[in-house]
Amino acid sequence: MTKTVAKPASFQDFILALQIYWSQQGCAILQPFDTEVGAGTLHPATVLRSLGPKPWNVAYVQPSRRPADGRYGENPNRLQHYYQFQVIMKPNPVNLQELYLGSLDAIGIDRTMHDIRFVEDDWENPTVGAWGLGWEVWCDGMEVSQYTYFQQVGGLDVDLVSGELTYGLERLAMYVFGVDNVYDLPFNAPGTPHSLTYGDVFHQNEVEQSTYNFEYANTDNVLKRFEFAEEECKALLALDTPLPLPAYEHALKASHNFNILDARGVVSPTQRQEYIKRVRDLAKGCAQSWVEGEKARAEGASA
Amino acid sequence: MFELLLEIFSEEIPARMQVRAGQDLVKAMDAGLKAAGLSPKDSHALTGPRRLTYVTQVELRSPDVSEERKGPRVGSPERALEGFMRGAGITDISQAETRSDKKGEYYVAVLQSEGRDTSDILTALIPEVMTGFSWPKSMKSGDSDFRWVRPLRGLTVLLDGQSLDGITVGGITSDAMVHGHRQMGPGPFPVTTLADYRAALETDGHVMIYRSARRARVLEQAKAACAEAGLELVEDEGLLDEVTGLVEWPVALLGDMDPTFLELPDEVIRLTLKSHQKTFTVRDADGNLAPNFVIMANLETPDNGATIKAGNAKVISARLSDARFFQQQDRQKNLIDYYDQLDEVVFHKKLGSVRDKADRVAALAREIAPHVGADPDLAEQAAKLAKCDLVTQTVIEATSLQGQVGRWMYEAEGGNPDIAVAIEDHYKPQGPSDAVPTNPVAIAVALADKIDTLVGFWAIGEKPTGSKDPFALRRAALGVVRLILSRNLASNLNFFAMLSFYHLNAQFPDDDRMASFVHKLGGVGDLWKIVGHAKADNSFDAFSALGDGFSKTIVDTLLSFLLDRLRVYLRDQGQRHDVIDAVIAQGGDDLLAISQRVEALGAFLSNADGENLVQGYKRAANILRAERKKGKLDLASFDTLSGFTADPAAALAKALANTRPSIDAALNSGDYPAALSSLADLREPIDAFFEDVVVNSDDPDERARRLALLSAVVETFHQIADFSRLDG
């Protein structure tokens, strides 16, 4: 196991420290997915790869979009666009909890000073028909990670259980750096020429995106985009040789458009269930199609 | 007896499941040991965040058992002997003994089964118990199919001072090593006895293994932390239990928050601290919330918890800032200004938006108001305001505050106090133990809201089926029942239901589903005329003019659904099911009257007079039933109350003639106990009649008259309740 390293000096060092740590634990370090997602889990490297019989250890950074969480850049803790660091280990190693705690050492959290707790939180993402058991990990009362043992994805029982770790990077970095306002986080090392804060990079984006999400998103158009994406997804899955990967991207687009509608406050609880079901049906279809494809390819390879 | 200890060590077990799991483990292990012939004693469980431990006293070996199995008679056919030997596990009949009884000699096989070592029994039992263990939710881990609440990490079995190594469950093999607090004393520590186990864990291991001691420590520390600062802990049993399941080594820390947060409603602060942070609320000497909280940490630190306090304070501050931000946003408008926004929230796609619902509820609440002593204008206004907070940020973030937020906002605007109460209380009662509103305006809105929900889902055919009740209609129905009964509201539910249905239809005049539904009812034009008339009067009477077509379809099935809830409710109150059935069978939709009748009849039947009377009734009813079986009885042609000579039949006829008008009068005035006591006057004449009179007289005319008399008796009983449904 890695020895405790010096506290990272910036947000980017912080990310690098996690990447190096998990790389040392045997994870392939992937890059972000380029379609809007609400959570790092939705990256196909998690949703699709946690299915099927092949082992799969990866880690990656994923920008996550939650339109309803926008605060016009005025709230020091909430963002509609932020980063998650995601680790998937399939099958989960026996000592995953210890590996996780080791990662806290790697980013400079001194466990003799901080109260680390695993508090029940059964994770579920109904839009992709996924659920698992696990915890929120608390550091001094703050949720710093989501820790889940996947049991079902896309409505299908998993063959091998994946251990999934999700770190909310900004929040965790703020904690480690003792910064109260996300926009004050040093993005790169403070002493470098033209050093940047998180605010330099993202503040204006938060202002404009919040304004769009809450005030200007044309709900009729967003609904049309939702429906277009849904239609495209279904069509791709209905092909003689289905294309689950592009279909899944459209399922994600449908999901994101639903999130915008939700942020605009035009979705009631009952309606919400219905939208979620529509997206879930898409995601399930993609997952099933993907698993079938994987099996066929595996048989093809062994034949 | 010897000490047995089983520790099942795992990753963190959800706090809410620990106690139950401990009980289940004791039950399953005890049962398994007993089934193996052992007699475990003083069994108990130790439960905590990462371990489930079973401790008991047990023998080291199960006793030898000798069992006799009786076989066929000596000299039975070969086949019978073979079967017997096979079953008893013997190879030759000479291995069986012979016994004799009156009929002769027969074989007996004496089966000796040797006792087994408890260690062997445990080797088989532990995997069986763990594999069959039932958690509220369980999971697989890695590539194993074994299910546990979270991944299993260790297993320790100690019997009589020795570790039973090598028992394997879910890929984990038992050994003598136990693990302490992750940070303060991970170990592992070798143990062979409970004393070792306790000593290792509670000292170096920093794990308090006894739940009750841990719970007491949590409370004592939390109180002490407050007292030191001259403050007082706001005790919370539920939170205390939960926290006891979250820490192995409790360390209470008193944290501070910015006092300006105290301007938030107490409930928002309490909810934030408790549900999000598992943190206790603190009050000052005057009983007001203090700008502090108690964290229960699981760690002693070199800085005495300063870092932990600061971290928690930061999180709490962020959460409360959010709450304050939402409140400020929400209060930029008056509560009623959110009304139109409710139109953007769909209640149900077939039942319109939440504003559509609020409109209907407002109209209905206005109509219900006079029947519950509320001002119609206030009820209507309250119903419109009641749902407005659903679109506020505060409620979107914390749904459990619905109603309360509306009330706070409305009070802050200086609104009418009855309306303010109604906004909060109209959701009540939410379940069998939730308080029932007492304010008449709140009652009007609460009833209207629930009836609208029930009628709406009934109209679109979304009734609960079996265990499926996605719209919580049973809860709504129970709410109606409890509102009516606990507030003594004479009610005509069919009338309310029909008004509700009228409002629903008025909103969707062109809706195909509604139209086809209404079409099924037939004679809609007339219906609306009558409803319109009833509305204008706001009277129950006009309702009775309605045709059957309407009531049969929706109101009757809804009423029987409500009556089912009433049945459950009354049974929970200790009423006899047959008494409830006897009263409900008489019909009616006035839940209060039904409930009062059940109570009166139940009390009446609990004394000997009542029981005798029922026996008399049953005898009369049985005779009539038997006679009806023989052939057609034409009783109507007899004047049942005269024409008897001076005998017990004449006395009964006379008693009946006297009693019937007083029963009628009592029932008309709603005095059910009086009706029952009039009925009781019939007891003696009925008894005397059966004592002396033979119904089946040889004179056919006399026989018919006597039967007619009995029939009149039965009818009289049935005016009060369907006595045929009573047991016994």
Side-chain angles (χ1 to χ4, degrees):
Chain A
M1 193 166 297
T2 350
K3 295 195 80 166
T4 306
V5 294
K7 202 180 256 191
S10 64
F11 188 58
Q12 70 192 30
D13 279 0
F14 187 84
I15 296 174
L16 288 169
L18 282 172
Q19 290 182 326
I20 290 166
Y21 176 83
W22 285 107
S23 160
Q24 286 168 345
Q25 311 310 325
C27 290
I29 306 301
L30 304 185
Q31 301 305 322
F33 190 54
D34 62 351
T35 290
E36 303 98 326
V37 294
T41 303
L42 297 171
H43 191 310
T46 294
V47 163
L48 298 181
R49 297 293 185 143
S50 57
L51 290 164
K54 291 183 200 161
W56 177 256
N57 292 340
V58 300
Y60 56 87
V61 173
Q62 179 62 45
S64 303
R65 296 208 187 205
R66 306 228 170 137
D69 283 352
R71 294 291 180 272
Y72 297 87
E74 288 165 10
N75 184 304
N77 299 298
R78 289 235 197 191
L79 301 162
Q80 55 78 42
H81 172 282
Y82 66 102
Y83 289 101
Q84 288 185 337
F85 190 85
Q86 176 91 1
V87 179
I88 277 285
M89 297 190 90
K90 170 186 161 194
N92 63 276
V94 171
N95 64 340
L96 185 59
Q97 253 191 336
E98 284 73 33
L99 294 182
Y100 168 74
L101 292 168
S103 77
L104 297 184
D105 297 341
I107 52 177
I109 292 182
D110 179 354
R111 285 190 279 139
T112 63
M113 300 295 278
H114 295 282
D115 188 22
I116 309 294
R117 226 76 82 66
F118 292 84
V119 179
E120 178 191 13
D121 189 36
D122 297 339
W123 174 86
E124 155 175 59
N125 187 328
T127 49
V128 291
W131 68 273
L133 302 192
W135 312 275
E136 292 180 353
V137 185
W138 285 13
C139 174
D140 301 336
M142 185 180 71
E143 182 191 344
V144 290
S145 304
Q146 184 80 38
Y147 185 132
T148 307
Y149 295 103
F150 281 175
Q151 304 292 305
Q152 244 193 11
V153 176
L156 303 167
D157 286 338
V158 295
D159 292 307
L160 295 173
V161 174
S162 298
E164 182 208 45
L165 307 170
T166 304
Y167 305 72
L169 286 173
E170 285 83 351
R171 197 155 25 151
L172 193 50
M174 283 166 71
Y175 200 73
V176 169
F177 294 124
V179 167
D180 289 335
N181 188 325
V182 64
Y183 299 108
D184 294 339
L185 271 178
F187 201 94
N188 54 3
T192 46
H194 311 296
S195 63
L196 295 167
T197 63
Y198 193 92
D200 292 332
V201 181
F202 284 116
H203 186 268
Q204 187 58 24
N205 187 55
E206 283 300 308
V207 175
E208 293 192 14
Q209 299 286 4
S210 300
T211 313
Y212 169 75
N213 291 332
F214 289 127
E215 299 169 39
Y216 293 99
N218 179 317
T219 52
D220 292 339
N221 287 343
V222 176
L223 186 58
K224 275 183 216 153
R225 285 211 300 272
F226 176 93
E227 280 163 355
F228 168 79
E230 183 184 40
E231 192 185 315
E232 197 81 342
C233 178
K234 285 181 179 165
L236 292 169
L237 291 177
L239 293 173
D240 286 341
T241 307
L243 296 171
L245 290 171
Y248 182 65
E249 285 185 23
H250 283 92
L252 290 176
K253 285 181 203 294
S255 174
H256 178 63
N257 283 304
F258 159 70
N259 288 340
I260 295 176
L261 290 172
D262 202 21
R264 291 282 274 130
V266 296
V267 181
S268 76
T270 16
Q271 233 181 350
R272 202 188 159 79
Q273 290 311 316
E274 201 177 297
Y275 276 112
I276 290 174
K277 186 180 177 304
R278 282 163 77 177
V279 177
R280 183 169 57 223
D281 289 346
L282 299 179
K284 266 191 193 170
C286 296
Q288 277 157 11
S289 170
W290 165 258
V291 170
E292 281 161 23
E294 282 283 274
K295 280 190 190 148
R297 281 185 291 278
E299 280 162 21
S302 62
Chain B
M1 294 298 247
F2 301 87
E3 179 184 281
L4 165 65
L5 181 149
L6 160 67
E7 186 201 65
I8 304 169
F9 183 66
S10 70
E11 295 179 1
E12 276 79 354
I13 306 166
R16 65 192 168 92
M17 299 177 189
Q18 294 165 12
V19 172
R20 174 68 191 271
Q23 293 163 350
D24 288 351
L25 182 63
V26 169
K27 219 184 284 172
M29 284 300 296
D30 275 2
L33 291 173
K34 283 177 188 160
L38 298 168
S39 35
K41 216 179 110 220
D42 301 332
S43 305
H44 60 280
L46 313 177
T47 57
R50 291 197 295 158
R51 67 200 78 225
L52 205 52
T53 305
Y54 168 74
V55 180
T56 193
Q57 299 286 322
V58 73
E59 304 90 331
L60 291 182
R61 191 177 165 80
S62 63
D64 297 343
V65 179
S66 142
E67 184 201 340
E68 292 195 349
R69 192 172 296 180
K70 193 176 166 185
R73 306 231 151 249
V74 172
S76 296
E78 199 62 23
R79 294 250 309 265
L81 294 180
E82 274 170 14
F84 166 61
M85 291 191 292
R86 206 169 34 245
I90 54 177
T91 49
D92 191 283
I93 199 68
S94 65
Q95 291 166 301
E97 297 176 9
T98 56
R99 303 269 166 86
S100 55
D101 59 14
K102 282 182 225 158
K103 292 182 190 164
E105 282 191 317
Y106 62 95
Y107 290 108
V108 167
V110 181
L111 307 177
Q112 298 285 357
S113 68
E114 260 185 58
R116 293 164 66 206
D117 284 341
T118 301
S119 55
D120 291 338
I121 294 172
L122 289 168
T123 304
L125 177 63
I126 291 170
E128 183 189 312
V129 164
M130 289 177 66
T131 308
F133 203 82
S134 160
W135 291 95
K137 277 185 191 168
S138 63
M139 56 164 278
K140 298 195 293 185
S141 172
D143 56 4
S144 166
D145 279 333
F146 174 74
R147 301 185 79 90
W148 199 245
V149 64
R150 290 294 182 277
L152 191 63
R153 296 299 294 274
L155 198 59
T156 298
V157 186
L158 307 178
L159 178 65
D160 185 30
Q162 283 196 323
S163 168
L164 300 185
D165 293 351
I167 300 176
T168 299
V169 184
I172 298 292
T173 301
S174 64
D175 61 28
M177 306 307 281
V178 295
H179 304 264
H181 188 286
R182 210 180 250 126
Q183 197 60 40
M184 298 175 72
F189 308 100
V191 291
T192 51
T193 64
L194 173 61
D196 281 358
Y197 179 77
R198 184 176 182 182
L201 288 176
E202 298 219 318
T203 55
D204 292 348
H206 287 81
V207 176
M208 291 186 70
I209 57 175
Y210 289 92
R211 187 173 201 94
S212 55
R214 208 164 62 239
R215 189 179 194 273
R217 172 87 63 90
V218 168
L219 184 60
E220 170 203 325
Q221 286 208 1
K223 282 179 166 174
C226 293
E228 239 170 76
L231 299 166
E232 201 186 335
L233 181 75
V234 177
E235 289 188 35
D236 180 328
E237 293 288 315
L239 183 58
L240 182 57
D241 286 337
E242 185 175 10
V243 166
T244 303
L246 290 174
V247 293
E248 295 187 311
W249 194 254
V251 179
L253 300 169
L254 183 73
D256 316 307
M257 62 167 117
D258 179 349
T260 61
F261 286 125
L262 294 177
E263 73 201 29
L264 284 166
D266 287 3
E267 190 51 28
V268 171
I269 296 175
R270 202 189 60 75
L271 190 73
T272 303
L273 291 179
K274 175 183 175 163
S275 61
H276 295 298
Q277 300 303 130
K278 322 285 184 207
T279 304
F280 291 91
T281 317
V282 175
R283 63 181 158 232
D284 62 22
D286 300 329
N288 298 317
L289 279 196
N292 301 85
F293 48 85
V294 175
I295 312 149
M296 200 54 59
N298 189 39
L299 185 70
E300 288 170 7
T301 66
D303 66 351
N304 292 319
T307 307
I308 298 174
K309 275 196 234 182
N312 275 278
K314 200 178 275 189
V315 183
I316 284 169
S317 164
R319 292 226 181 247
L320 292 174
S321 295
D322 260 0
R324 182 153 64 189
F325 169 79
F326 295 141
Q327 284 238 317
Q328 283 162 352
Q329 292 287 104
D330 293 344
R331 292 195 175 176
Q332 284 179 0
K333 293 197 277 184
N334 282 337
L335 188 58
I336 195 67
D337 297 333
Y338 290 91
Y339 196 61
D340 285 343
Q341 227 175 300
L342 294 177
D343 207 26
E344 293 168 18
V345 184
V346 173
F347 171 64
H348 183 284
K349 67 179 175 188
K350 295 182 184 176
L351 297 170
S353 69
V354 173
R355 196 184 68 177
D356 291 332
K357 177 172 174 58
D359 274 339
R360 297 193 299 266
V361 173
L364 185 60
R366 186 176 183 86
E367 288 148 358
I368 290 177
H371 302 286
V372 300
D375 179 307
D377 290 340
L378 291 186
E380 181 179 5
Q381 188 62 14
K384 288 195 164 182
L385 286 160
K387 302 293 182 195
C388 286
D389 69 359
L390 291 179
V391 287
T392 63
Q393 284 297 315
T394 306
V395 173
I396 290 169
E397 289 296 317
T399 321
S400 69
L401 293 176
Q402 67 181 15
Q404 292 184 63
V405 170
R407 179 183 182 161
W408 296 326
M409 289 177 67
Y410 194 64
E411 279 174 345
E413 291 165 21
N416 175 291
D418 288 326
I419 292 181
V421 171
I423 291 170
E424 177 172 357
D425 283 0
H426 86 282
Y427 290 107
K428 295 178 183 173
Q430 294 263 29
S433 53
D434 192 24
V436 177
T438 51
N439 180 298
V441 177
I443 292 169
V445 181
L447 271 176
D449 187 32
K450 290 169 181 62
I451 292 172
D452 175 77
T453 297
L454 288 165
V455 168
F457 285 105
W458 238 251
I460 60 170
E462 290 279 2
K463 300 173 196 176
T465 51
S467 61
K468 281 194 182 156
D469 184 11
F471 304 107
L473 300 183
R474 288 194 181 94
R475 191 169 73 187
L478 178 64
V480 170
V481 167
R482 292 193 60 214
L483 274 161
I484 285 174
L485 296 191
S486 59
R487 296 295 148 229
N488 287 320
L489 304 174
S491 61
N492 184 315
L493 274 177
N494 284 346
F495 174 66
F496 291 160
M498 200 205 41
L499 289 176
S500 170
F501 188 67
Y502 170 83
H503 296 307
L504 190 63
N505 278 271
Q507 268 181 357
F508 300 99
D510 304 322
D511 187 295
D512 281 350
R513 286 175 304 266
M514 288 293 167
S516 67
F517 182 76
V518 169
H519 179 71
K520 269 194 259 166
L521 300 175
V524 170
D526 286 344
L527 176 69
W528 290 152
K529 251 187 258 164
I530 297 164
V531 175
H533 179 58
K535 274 169 62 66
D537 274 8
N538 201 5
S539 71
F540 293 157
D541 297 342
F543 173 71
S544 59
L546 275 174
D548 280 348
F550 178 83
S551 64
K552 286 290 176 247
T553 41
I554 175 164
V555 176
D556 278 3
T557 58
L558 180 56
L559 181 66
S560 76
F561 181 70
L562 282 157
L563 290 174
D564 280 344
R565 294 300 101 198
L566 178 64
R567 272 194 181 89
V568 172
Y569 177 82
L570 291 175
R571 290 195 57 177
D572 286 347
Q573 304 283 310
Q575 298 295 346
R576 276 167 49 178
H577 73 93
D578 59 329
V579 171
I580 300 170
D581 285 348
V583 171
I584 287 181
Q586 289 308 93
D589 63 343
D590 185 339
L591 303 187
L592 181 65
I594 290 172
S595 154
Q596 287 168 344
R597 285 173 177 211
V598 167
E599 206 170 306
L601 183 58
F604 180 73
L605 293 178
S606 65
N607 65 44
D609 266 9
E611 266 310 316
N612 285 338
L613 194 63
V614 173
Q615 292 317 317
Y617 160 84
K618 294 240 157 177
R619 216 162 148 187
N622 287 341
I623 290 171
L624 287 170
R625 196 176 313 120
E627 289 303 315
R628 274 196 194 97
K629 266 189 199 157
K630 287 184 200 158
K632 200 169 161 245
L633 268 185
D634 187 12
L635 300 170
S637 60
F638 291 89
D639 177 355
T640 54
L641 301 181
S642 64
F644 292 103
T645 48
D647 63 10
L652 178 57
K654 194 174 167 218
L656 208 51
N658 290 336
T659 305
R660 291 176 98 169
S662 58
I663 289 178
D664 285 344
L667 289 178
N668 280 337
S669 66
D671 191 346
Y672 201 65
L676 281 169
S677 97
S678 295
L679 190 65
D681 292 342
L682 293 178
R683 189 183 75 80
E684 280 181 29
I686 290 174
D687 286 353
F689 176 84
F690 283 123
E691 188 85 3
D692 297 334
V693 180
V694 177
V695 177
N696 278 325
S697 163
D698 295 337
D699 172 0
D701 190 48
E702 191 169 56
R703 173 175 165 269
R705 274 215 313 280
R706 286 177 182 168
L707 287 170
L709 178 62
L710 288 185
S711 168
V713 167
V714 166
E715 260 172 41
T716 306
F717 273 77
H718 281 194
Q719 271 188 285
I720 289 174
D722 185 351
F723 278 70
S724 70
R725 289 175 189 257
L726 292 176
D727 292 344

